[in-house]
Amino acid sequence: MIKMNKDKLKELANDLLFDMADQEYDTLLKEFDELIALMDLLGEIPNVDRGEPMIFPFAVTNTYLREDEAGTPLTKEEFLSNTPDSFAGQVRLPKVVN
Amino acid sequence: MDYTTLTIKELHALYVEGKVTPLEVVKQAIEKAKKDKTNSLEAVTFEQALEMATLLSATAVEVDNPLWGIPYFIKDNISTKGVETVASSNILKGYIPHFDAEVVARLKTKKAISLGKTTLDELAMGGSGMSGHLGRTYNPFDPKKERMIGGSSAGSASVVASGFVPFALGSDTGDSVRKPASYAGLVGFKPTWGRISRYGLFPFAPSLDAVGYFTRSVADAAILLDVLAGRDDKDLTSSFEKVEDYTKYTTSVKGIKIALIKGISDNISNPTLKEHYEQTLVELAKRGAIIEYVEIEKSLLNALFSTYFVISCAESTSNNANLDGVKFGARKEGKTYIDVIKNTRTAGFSALIKRRFILGSYSLKQENQELLFRRAQKARRLIVEAVNKVLTTHDFIYSPAAPGVAPLFDKKSDNLNIAHLIEDNHLVIGNFAGLPSITIPVCLDNGLPIGVNLTGRAFSEKALFGFAAAIEDITGLKNLQVEDK
């Protein structure tokens, strides 16, 4: 694992498309030490890396195909009613190409 | 008479006898909720509730429908058509779902009456009831407001413990129903993974998430599962397993085998809890139950929280990527669409949530994934195998639901720390293995409740309710709530 520092944390936050107050990065840096301690506990399990990862508690099988029925579960008006900004029946955002 | 302090079963009996109408009950519930001192309420739907109650009061009672006219609340991470649903997060402010979650739809069909939505830890990611956008949710058992009710289903626990309504919906990803139930003297139930549809539940960590609920009696918990259990084609993880008549459980414990896990059940520090926990076991043994200590490798127990933390943070980071202010939510403008998303997420998420997302994202990075996320998933398998092995020889696992009474706010936070690794986190076993699990009160310590937890085999809900009802009978702790003073 890489050694963590504030700049790397800021990169991670930027990847997730948000920023934090400076003191929150300090808190997070301390939490990374806790995270490493937690990870050590996983490493103490005998043969932990030999097994397969568990994705879900148990297998779920859905082997049927539903009927292909046309419907309008959500109308355009309904969808746009939750949109912070819309224009001419579409979601409006700042221009991508000027 | 204060009808809202009754259980579902008791209230239904009064409806059937014609001694009270839904309108009278709903009016009482609303009056009490308006005086809420625990900061438990998000959007309320009192007018719609009164309309519905008026309508029902003019019709004949449905004798075979125990949920007819019963008021309840809904945790605010469960979608409600036409009612703002924000999961106690500023980023979702203004979001109004266009559909009901399956559980809400089923309760509507049964003519239960929703009074509105309840607070939670932001996006259900916490266990204190402190991190929602409205601030702390208080424990009604502590009038000084110094103690938490726990989370994340904080508001739902509080409204039932306050005696506003006989039940409330919650969700449980680590112990988010079962731990607050312990602190609030309630029955808190989490079903087998797939038993209750999660359609309309905001996903936190879908490999662990379950819709659960709070009641004030085991019988009421069974009544609700009768309605909520069953396959739903809208949730592909919901099960085809046969639904039983859950209210027809037996309270006989003769011959049932109960497992106590060493390292959990022999490690109780609260003397009142220890005394009542052991007394209950003595009484169960007198009634014919076989009680045995079993061992689970200590390294697996020590790794419970690590495993949960990595998996839940990683899954939540991914699941909440759609919260961007573009299609819905509280958008903050910017010069480019990237700025819009970034400004929205910066302003909309609390600092705690951001830190969890960063840790989750870190564990999913290609260079870390094997050592962090995949390793946690491998640990999960080993934990689940060990737990299921116990349940091949024993019917139930019996444990304390919490180390003691509800903690003081200043003694606990949602900041990451690894104290009380096992005592505070072992309920997550039920989520890892997808097992049905129920918390019920076992004692009061200076007026503050503490619960025990029972976990059974997958899809053994009916037997689990029977076992829980037997313990309820032993303790005599049923329909606990705080008197309105």
Side-chain angles (χ1 to χ4, degrees):
Chain A
M1 267 184 286
I2 56 170
K3 179 82 181 146
M4 192 46 67
N5 60 44
K6 256 166 100 167
D7 286 340
K8 283 177 180 154
L9 289 180
K10 285 187 177 180
E11 275 178 39
L12 284 166
N14 194 54
D15 288 347
L16 289 166
L17 295 176
F18 57 67
D19 199 0
M20 296 197 297
D22 213 43
Q23 66 268 29
E24 287 302 328
Y25 287 106
D26 292 329
T27 306
L28 186 54
L29 206 51
K30 283 183 205 147
E31 287 193 336
F32 254 89
D33 292 338
E34 298 274 9
L35 182 71
I36 301 307
L38 287 173
M39 290 309 105
D40 288 346
L41 292 173
L42 291 182
E44 286 173 15
I45 299 172
N47 302 321
V48 66
D49 292 320
R50 286 202 195 160
E52 284 294 308
M54 174 173 263
I55 314 297
F56 292 114
F58 30 77
V60 177
T61 311
N62 278 289
T63 55
Y64 71 96
L65 291 174
R66 62 172 170 75
E67 290 301 313
D68 196 10
E69 292 169 2
T72 309
L74 190 67
T75 65
K76 187 197 275 188
E77 289 71 27
E78 283 173 337
F79 174 78
L80 291 174
S81 70
N82 270 313
T83 306
D85 189 11
S86 62
F87 177 71
Q90 298 184 56
V91 175
R92 180 155 65 181
L93 280 166
K95 275 185 180 177
V96 175
V97 179
N98 284 304
Chain B
M1 184 178 180
D2 185 353
Y3 298 105
T4 60
T5 60
L6 302 176
T7 64
I8 295 172
K9 205 172 170 179
E10 292 166 340
L11 198 48
H12 178 65
L14 291 188
Y15 284 152
V16 171
E17 290 168 26
K19 291 191 172 159
V20 67
T21 65
L23 185 57
E24 291 170 274
V25 172
V26 166
K27 276 183 177 173
Q28 273 190 352
I30 289 172
E31 284 314 305
K32 287 178 86 173
K34 279 181 177 172
K35 293 177 196 157
D36 172 41
K37 295 171 191 153
T38 61
N39 194 30
S40 295
L41 304 180
E42 291 277 354
V44 293
T45 52
F46 295 160
E47 279 184 30
Q48 297 95 311
L50 285 169
E51 272 176 37
M52 175 78 172
T54 305
L55 210 66
L56 289 188
S57 298
T59 62
V61 56
E62 293 179 8
V63 176
D64 296 328
N65 172 11
L67 293 176
W68 184 89
I70 304 290
Y72 74 105
F73 277 97
I74 304 165
K75 186 176 179 180
D76 200 36
N77 61 346
I78 296 174
S79 302
T80 42
K81 186 174 181 176
V83 180
E84 188 183 41
T85 304
V86 303
S88 289
S89 180
N90 283 330
I91 201 164
L92 278 162
K93 204 170 173 193
Y95 170 63
I96 298 174
H98 290 290
F99 64 98
D100 281 323
E102 176 67 10
V103 283
V104 173
R106 285 185 182 218
L107 290 170
K108 259 186 194 171
T109 304
K110 289 292 175 184
K111 304 186 178 76
I113 302 174
S114 167
L115 300 188
K117 313 299 289 290
T118 58
T119 53
L120 56 147
D121 282 296
E122 185 176 3
L123 301 170
M125 293 172 66
S128 65
M130 294 161 67
S131 70
H133 69 154
L134 299 181
R136 293 174 174 180
T137 298
Y138 300 102
N139 189 325
F141 278 91
D142 173 31
K144 291 184 190 164
K145 296 189 172 183
E146 292 171 347
R147 290 182 188 274
M148 64 177 59
I149 193 153
S152 63
S153 308
S156 284
S158 185
V159 294
V160 181
S162 296
F164 300 165
V165 288
F167 81 95
L169 295 177
S171 65
D172 189 315
T173 301
D175 56 22
S176 284
V177 166
R178 294 164 294 151
K179 183 74 78 67
S182 181
Y183 296 151
L186 300 173
V187 173
F189 172 70
K190 178 198 95 66
T192 304
W193 192 80
R195 179 71 299 174
I196 294 179
S197 168
R198 303 180 298 176
Y199 176 74
L201 171 70
F202 291 4
F204 163 12
S207 81
L208 304 166
D209 292 340
V211 172
Y213 47 79
F214 300 93
T215 61
R216 293 194 296 258
S217 76
V218 175
D220 281 4
I223 285 170
L224 279 167
L225 193 61
D226 266 354
V227 170
L228 300 179
R231 167 70 184 178
D232 170 20
D233 284 345
K234 300 185 293 306
D235 172 6
L236 290 182
T237 62
S238 81
S239 176
F240 288 99
E241 189 80 17
K242 187 171 168 283
V243 172
E244 297 181 84
D245 183 345
Y246 297 102
T247 58
K248 299 252 164 55
Y249 53 74
T250 170
T251 56
S252 168
V253 295
K254 195 171 167 44
I256 68 160
K257 290 186 77 177
I258 299 165
L260 314 180
I261 298 173
K262 283 184 188 169
I264 295 175
S265 288
D266 55 353
N267 199 22
I268 302 171
S269 54
N270 179 295
T272 308
L273 172 60
K274 189 173 165 62
E275 182 194 337
H276 288 270
Y277 179 87
E278 287 171 357
Q279 271 178 8
T280 305
L281 286 173
V282 168
E283 189 56 38
L284 284 168
K286 276 189 204 164
R287 295 182 183 198
I290 300 154
I291 297 152
E292 293 175 338
Y293 270 101
V294 297
E295 277 201 66
I296 287 181
E297 166 72 44
K298 189 72 191 295
S299 63
L300 292 175
L301 295 179
N302 282 337
L304 288 173
F305 181 65
S306 312
T307 305
Y308 171 73
F309 190 76
V310 172
I311 291 174
S312 64
C313 285
E315 289 192 28
S316 69
T317 303
S318 170
N319 280 300
N320 287 298
N322 66 334
L323 302 183
D324 54 17
V326 173
K327 305 166 291 296
F328 53 84
R331 182 189 292 186
K332 299 290 175 193
E333 295 301 338
K335 283 184 182 169
T336 68
Y337 78 93
I338 294 285
D339 289 342
V340 168
I341 295 172
K342 198 167 175 179
N343 292 342
T344 298
R345 287 167 68 84
T346 297
F349 295 131
S350 71
L352 174 75
I353 293 297
K354 289 178 194 168
R355 299 203 306 271
R356 294 292 171 268
F357 286 162
I358 288 177
L359 293 172
S361 176
Y362 180 73
S363 72
L364 288 171
K365 291 268 176 198
Q366 195 176 10
E367 62 271 27
N368 305 325
Q369 200 172 107
E370 275 303 317
L371 194 55
L372 295 175
F373 184 56
R374 291 289 173 211
R375 181 176 259 189
Q377 288 183 315
K378 289 173 185 173
R380 177 180 181 180
R381 183 176 295 282
L382 295 176
I383 294 164
V384 169
E385 284 174 355
V387 170
N388 283 337
K389 192 175 165 197
V390 168
L391 289 170
T392 56
T393 52
H394 294 77
D395 297 287
F396 305 105
I397 296 168
Y398 177 83
S399 68
V405 299
L408 294 164
F409 281 116
D410 63 0
K411 296 275 188 227
K412 176 151 181 182
S413 74
D414 273 316
N415 286 348
L416 186 54
N417 74 71
I418 57 174
H420 308 298
L421 261 183
I422 300 173
E423 306 95 294
D424 241 342
N425 298 296
H426 65 82
L427 296 187
V428 76
I429 284 171
N431 304 82
F432 286 160
L435 303 174
S437 187
I438 190 166
T439 291
I440 56 172
V442 74
C443 64
L444 292 165
D445 184 6
N446 288 319
L448 296 170
I450 314 177
V452 287
N453 182 263
L454 326 169
T455 296
R457 297 172 189 137
F459 300 104
S460 71
E461 278 86 352
K462 187 175 173 183
L464 186 69
F465 288 139
F467 181 38
I471 294 176
E472 190 179 63
D473 182 53
I474 290 168
T475 63
L477 295 176
K478 184 177 167 184
N479 204 16
L480 286 184
Q481 58 201 286
V482 178
E483 286 176 31
D484 193 18
K485 288 171 187 161

